[in-house]
Amino acid sequence: MARRLCRLSRLFPLVSSASASAAPRPHHLPFAVNPNPAPLAPSFSASLPPAFPAPHRLFSSASGSSMVVVGSADSFNSILSKVQDEKLPAVFYYTAVWCGPCRAMAPLVSKLSSQYPKIPVYKVDIDMEGLGNKLRGLNICSVPTFHFYHKGQKIGEIVGADAKKLEVVMESLHKQQ
């Protein structure tokens, strides 16, 4: 089975915005292109009453899942620093709401986070504001992408929706503890 992935061309633009405005627009598209698309995910945190938690917090289930949904660029930076500084095992799961292969992998990632509760899985939405430069530095150019850390060091990476490889690497990381 071939790996499925989504390319992130907007993270690595080929032309600057100044030259892009001067370039002719293609007229051969069979559908209308909105030059200013609306954001994919509205910000709910501003509209929620204080009694409700922010929507991107710790996700846990009764079975002991270790999935953590990272809610901001600042929290991502602090989590990554903590994993590296304190030499912790971790999996970073880079995903996007619009990515079909990411949605297909979600149940397996959730199952594996429950199966290996001592290995936290940090789910990072690549469309989060303020995260672009950090993602470029980590060479995240396709989703889904998984980064595996052991003793604070990145020991592996999976790019694309490769379920078998994900299961094998999670088992291996679990055995290294």
Side-chain angles (χ1 to χ4, degrees):
M1 180 197 296
R3 291 185 305 162
R4 296 176 297 170
L5 54 95
C6 298
R7 297 278 179 206
L8 303 178
S9 59
R10 70 176 170 268
L11 289 179
F12 301 103
L14 298 176
V15 293
S16 68
S17 59
S19 65
S21 62
R25 295 185 184 260
H27 296 286
H28 63 279
L29 296 176
F31 53 87
V33 177
N34 183 358
N36 297 316
L40 293 174
S43 174
F44 294 107
S45 59
S47 63
L48 291 177
F52 295 103
H56 296 291
R57 293 285 168 104
L58 178 65
F59 170 80
S60 63
S61 65
S63 62
S65 174
S66 61
M67 175 95 64
V68 176
V69 178
V70 179
S72 71
D74 290 336
S75 63
F76 170 73
N77 290 329
S78 66
I79 290 168
L80 184 59
S81 295
K82 183 177 180 177
V83 166
Q84 292 171 335
D85 294 344
E86 296 180 16
K87 302 189 182 318
L88 300 173
V91 176
F92 284 87
Y93 168 37
Y94 300 96
T95 184
V97 174
W98 47 263
C99 171
C102 298
R103 288 193 303 264
M105 291 293 287
L108 176 63
V109 174
S110 181
K111 179 187 120 189
L112 291 173
S113 70
S114 296
Q115 188 174 344
Y116 305 110
K118 292 184 180 180
I119 304 171
V121 176
Y122 298 102
K123 184 176 179 181
V124 181
D125 186 343
I126 55 109
D127 291 326
M128 200 179 331
E129 191 172 325
L131 206 54
N133 289 334
K134 189 67 170 181
L135 294 177
R136 273 190 287 279
L138 294 169
N139 294 322
I140 307 296
C141 56
S142 299
V143 287
T145 295
F146 299 88
H147 284 179
F148 302 92
Y149 287 82
H150 179 66
K151 295 185 180 178
Q153 298 294 316
K154 183 177 156 188
I155 61 165
E157 177 180 61
I158 297 175
V159 178
D162 191 340
K164 296 277 186 202
K165 192 171 184 181
L166 179 61
E167 290 174 341
V168 168
V169 175
M170 285 290 288
E171 175 69 23
S172 172
L173 187 59
H174 174 72
K175 288 180 179 179
Q176 289 178 14
Q177 292 205 26

